[in-house]
Amino acid sequence: MPSANSQDDFMDLIQQMSQQMIETGELLQKNAQRLWFDYQRQGLMAQELNAAITKLGQHPELIADYQQQLAQKISEDLQSPKETRDRRFKDEAWEQPGFAQLKSMYLSFCESTMSLMANIPDLDDAQKQRVLFFVRQWLSAMSPSNFPMTNPVVLQATQASGGMNLLQGLQNYMDDWQRGKGLHNVRMTDLNAYRPGKNLATTPGKIIYQNELIQLIQYSPTTVKVSKRPLLVVPPWINKYYILDLQPQNSLAKWLVDQGHTLFMISWVNPDASLKDKSFEDYMEQGVLAAVDAIEQSTGENSINALGYCLGGTLLGATLGYMKAQGDERINAATFFTTLLDFTHPGELGCFLSKEQLEILEQQMEAEGVLDGRALALAYNMLRENDLYWSYHVNNYLLGKEPPAFDLLYWNSDATNLPAAMHSFYLRNMYLENRLKDPGGIQLKGIDIDISKIDVPCYFLSAEKDHIALWESTYLGAQKLSGKVTFVLAGSGHVAGVINPADSGKYSYFTNDTLAGSPEDWFGHAEQSAGSWWPHWDSWLKQQGGEIVSARDPEKGKLTPIEDAPGSYVLKTLD
């Protein structure tokens, strides 16, 4: 029998949801145009799947083999359910009779279906990758773990709480809908647990320069002496810079300052529709080049080192090509974290970017002025859909629980918009047409960009399990450059492989001084070292840093500080 308190809680939730339903209806009306564009893109996915299935229908022998093998596997599953390390089914409740067989049959169905789709003849590599991606999304969505009546953990919670878990889950679902403004981004962490400048991005420094697109942070030194050449960091503007300055124990920014580097960090603006016409050229001119100018004005140094992370690395590579053509030698050496310069293997992100998909996306960006950061965040999350979407669907909506506080996932949820002009150029010229790798493939401010003429020393850090910038493709980009390249392959993925503090003792990294042949050849002759690659990079970076000089206080530079780090740009969230 429910208690009086639980009945009160029930009525409170009902009243809240009634109001939210009204607000959700209004939200859907306001976002009808966005929903229409989403519907068009989904229609293209369905057409491609239908075309693949039509081709499959021309090979009845493949379907017959599939049916026979699947029937055999299901028969075996009913008699002896298979064991699995799949985290969706880790709870011991899945070992109960009935649920154990259901789990096992589902996994067999997924395995057989993916194998069938992979063997459809007459699909080129890009088509096959898209079809497999779409089918995998469908299979993940239909997992028995995602539904109340087929998830024993949810059934137990429902019985224990009298159904309050499902009611609270519905409340959580509607909260996410409202926060996402019509884009369904499931909450992955406690969004009230962190705030940049309070318990994230707390490394001391000053904003010494700003324009429409950037604020430039100069960090306060913690050593008496520093390397002569400052280090400029160009983070991606798809996310905010503080992935490199989370908390003191995992802050790359703090660690670099503590190693004796004069560190400058670009903090990109979170653009709205008023910046829709900002181009890739603008990001070069008002971003990297403006930062280089400001560092020279502030410190008097006309030779610096630079680091680009992900998209920031792609911009840095293009900028180095531009500077080379202009005879500008102010960047002495460059580091690239998980950076694509050659997009031959774009990974699963390419599944969202057929020519037809991009045309619809460009229409949407033109209409809205920006690509909403929430849409991009959802696309990235669906690259690891079970870990970054469906697990939270179960936790938040079916179990009615709150996700735990986690700094990395807070950063992941702190999305940024992308200006229409810039993002269209980037997607079309890099991802779709892969033009940056070719001499003169793109032009910036009327200058042909040729990355093969970049001859400064470069350090490439890639990640073995990176699902965004496949290391095999970052390796191809590193081979395009004509200077001395040090290529290092870290363990883990796109973020954890980079944010791996020197004293963590986690993962390992691979080195090989010979950058010739295929990625597989390089890896086959690479040497493995335990732990973080940070000290290895710092040793390389200090070799590029020049003589040792007195540390530089940002308050005593030639540019007057504007405000304390982390600055105001990083605090702007999506409306």
Side-chain angles (χ1 to χ4, degrees):
M1 185 77 179
S3 67
N5 285 340
S6 66
Q7 290 177 348
D8 290 343
D9 292 341
F10 178 87
M11 292 308 299
D12 287 343
L13 278 172
I14 291 295
Q15 290 176 0
Q16 291 177 34
M17 287 190 292
S18 295
Q19 179 60 34
Q20 280 189 313
M21 287 179 182
I22 296 172
E23 294 172 357
T24 299
E26 295 172 349
L27 185 64
L28 289 172
Q29 289 180 348
K30 291 179 181 178
N31 289 277
Q33 184 181 55
R34 176 180 295 172
L35 294 172
W36 170 243
F37 284 121
D38 290 343
Y39 174 77
Q40 287 181 289
R41 286 198 294 273
Q42 291 166 10
L44 285 174
M45 295 179 191
Q47 290 176 22
E48 193 146 23
L49 276 176
N50 286 335
I53 292 171
T54 298
K55 290 183 178 180
L56 178 62
Q58 298 169 4
H59 297 273
E61 72 282 0
L62 293 178
I63 299 175
D65 288 344
Y66 165 75
Q67 292 172 330
Q68 182 179 3
Q69 292 174 14
L70 183 58
Q72 177 64 32
K73 287 181 180 180
I74 289 177
S75 176
E76 294 170 357
D77 292 333
L78 290 170
Q79 296 178 31
S80 180
K82 65 170 68 73
E83 295 183 0
T84 179
R85 294 183 179 180
D86 192 314
R87 286 186 288 183
R88 291 174 291 180
F89 308 108
K90 66 180 180 180
D91 194 284
E92 62 183 15
W94 284 102
E95 301 308 314
Q96 299 175 54
F99 290 109
Q101 285 82 359
L102 176 63
K103 167 200 69 179
S104 193
M105 288 189 294
Y106 165 73
L107 293 172
S108 291
F109 177 68
C110 291
E111 180 183 359
S112 297
T113 302
M114 289 296 288
S115 177
L116 172 67
M117 302 305 286
N119 290 318
I120 298 177
D122 306 321
L123 294 179
D124 62 36
D125 289 342
Q127 289 175 318
K128 181 171 290 187
Q129 188 175 35
R130 287 196 295 271
V131 167
L132 289 175
F133 178 77
F134 300 150
V135 171
R136 195 191 79 207
Q137 295 298 321
W138 172 65
L139 291 170
S140 295
M142 65 180 291
S143 169
S145 58
N146 296 337
F147 302 94
M149 296 306 295
T150 52
N151 186 325
V153 183
V154 176
L155 289 173
Q156 291 173 0
T158 304
Q159 185 177 26
S161 70
M164 283 295 292
N165 59 304
L166 296 178
L167 195 59
Q168 183 61 57
L170 182 57
Q171 172 78 61
N172 292 343
Y173 179 86
M174 296 180 72
D175 285 344
D176 286 345
W177 251 96
Q178 285 191 306
R179 192 184 69 257
K181 304 295 184 183
L183 288 165
H184 185 216
N185 291 79
V186 60
R187 184 162 56 93
M188 297 187 290
T189 188
D190 181 354
L191 298 179
N192 297 314
Y194 299 102
R195 181 172 173 81
K198 299 294 184 183
N199 51 6
L200 298 175
T202 59
T203 302
K206 300 289 183 181
I207 304 298
I208 64 159
Y209 171 82
Q210 72 180 35
N211 60 31
E212 286 181 293
L213 289 182
I214 71 166
Q215 286 190 318
L216 184 63
I217 304 169
Q218 180 179 351
Y219 290 98
S220 301
T222 58
T223 58
V224 176
K225 298 292 185 179
V226 295
S227 296
K228 188 173 190 294
R229 290 191 179 96
L231 175 63
L232 168 65
V233 178
V234 185
W237 54 90
I238 285 177
N239 295 102
K240 294 183 178 178
Y241 83 85
Y242 64 86
I243 183 59
L244 300 171
D245 186 25
L246 288 168
Q247 300 185 76
Q249 66 271 21
N250 59 357
S251 169
L252 180 60
K254 180 181 185 303
W255 187 82
L256 284 167
V257 171
D258 290 345
Q259 305 317 302
H261 298 284
T262 303
L263 183 64
F264 292 83
M265 179 84 68
I266 287 178
S267 175
W268 298 99
V269 74
N270 192 350
D272 56 27
S274 68
L275 298 176
K276 64 175 292 187
D277 294 324
K278 288 296 179 183
S279 65
F280 196 84
E281 290 178 338
D282 291 324
Y283 272 70
M284 177 185 74
E285 188 172 28
Q286 295 182 256
V288 182
L289 294 177
V292 172
D293 290 341
I295 293 170
E296 183 174 6
Q297 292 172 40
S298 179
T299 67
E301 297 293 340
N302 63 1
S303 180
I304 71 169
N305 296 321
L307 154 67
Y309 186 2
C310 187
L311 174 53
T314 305
L315 176 65
L316 177 60
T319 304
L320 284 169
Y322 176 85
M323 295 175 77
K324 181 66 178 179
Q326 296 287 86
D328 186 342
E329 299 180 344
R330 287 179 294 169
I331 293 182
N332 166 76
T335 297
F336 297 91
F337 288 173
T338 62
T339 292
L340 292 170
L341 299 177
D342 183 331
F343 289 72
T344 297
H345 307 296
E348 289 187 336
L349 272 178
C351 295
F352 295 102
L353 288 173
S354 66
K355 182 176 180 293
E356 294 78 12
Q357 291 271 2
L358 181 54
E359 287 174 353
I360 294 174
L361 184 61
E362 287 175 332
Q363 292 173 28
Q364 180 176 351
M365 290 192 296
E366 180 62 28
E368 298 182 6
V370 295
L371 175 63
D372 193 306
R374 287 167 286 235
L376 190 64
L378 180 60
Y380 274 104
N381 290 344
M382 296 314 287
L383 299 181
R384 293 174 53 201
E385 70 281 0
N386 288 321
D387 290 336
L388 296 179
Y389 185 87
W390 291 112
S391 64
Y392 295 99
H393 165 91
V394 173
N395 180 80
N396 300 7
Y397 304 154
L398 304 189
L399 296 176
K401 294 181 179 180
E402 292 294 311
F406 187 13
D407 57 357
L408 187 59
L409 290 178
Y410 178 90
W411 165 83
N412 190 57
S413 302
D414 193 5
T416 56
N417 293 328
L418 303 174
M422 179 283 303
H423 201 50
S424 176
F425 178 93
Y426 172 64
L427 293 180
R428 185 167 291 280
N429 287 278
M430 312 302 182
Y431 269 100
L432 192 63
E433 299 176 1
N434 193 17
R435 297 171 61 87
L436 179 61
K437 67 179 177 60
D438 299 322
I442 66 168
Q443 283 191 342
L444 296 175
K445 299 191 70 62
I447 300 295
D448 287 339
I449 303 303
D450 185 354
I451 62 172
S452 69
K453 293 183 178 179
I454 298 172
D455 56 3
V456 300
C458 292
Y459 188 107
F460 267 76
L461 184 281
S462 297
E464 188 177 9
K465 297 180 180 178
D466 194 336
H467 62 291
I468 294 173
L470 302 183
W471 83 265
E472 293 86 351
S473 204
T474 65
Y475 182 87
L476 296 181
Q479 287 182 309
K480 298 289 182 185
L481 309 184
S482 58
K484 171 64 176 174
V485 175
T486 299
F487 191 88
V488 177
L489 183 64
S492 195
H494 191 74
V495 173
V498 173
I499 309 305
N500 183 22
D503 59 357
S504 70
K506 294 173 65 176
Y507 314 127
S508 62
Y509 63 95
F510 297 85
T511 55
N512 179 353
D513 290 337
T514 303
L515 199 69
S518 68
E520 294 74 21
D521 292 337
W522 180 92
F523 188 75
H525 295 88
E527 178 182 348
Q528 185 175 11
S529 300
S532 171
W533 55 272
W534 286 15
H536 181 272
W537 175 50
D538 181 56
S539 176
W540 178 90
L541 193 57
K542 283 177 177 171
Q543 293 175 29
Q544 319 303 325
E547 61 185 283
I548 302 301
V549 300
S550 296
R552 305 173 177 99
D553 185 339
E555 294 194 72
K556 297 179 181 179
K558 295 179 181 178
L559 293 179
T560 303
I562 298 169
E563 58 180 322
D564 290 338
S568 55
Y569 283 13
V570 75
L571 300 179
K572 183 180 178 182
T573 58
L574 301 184
D575 296 329

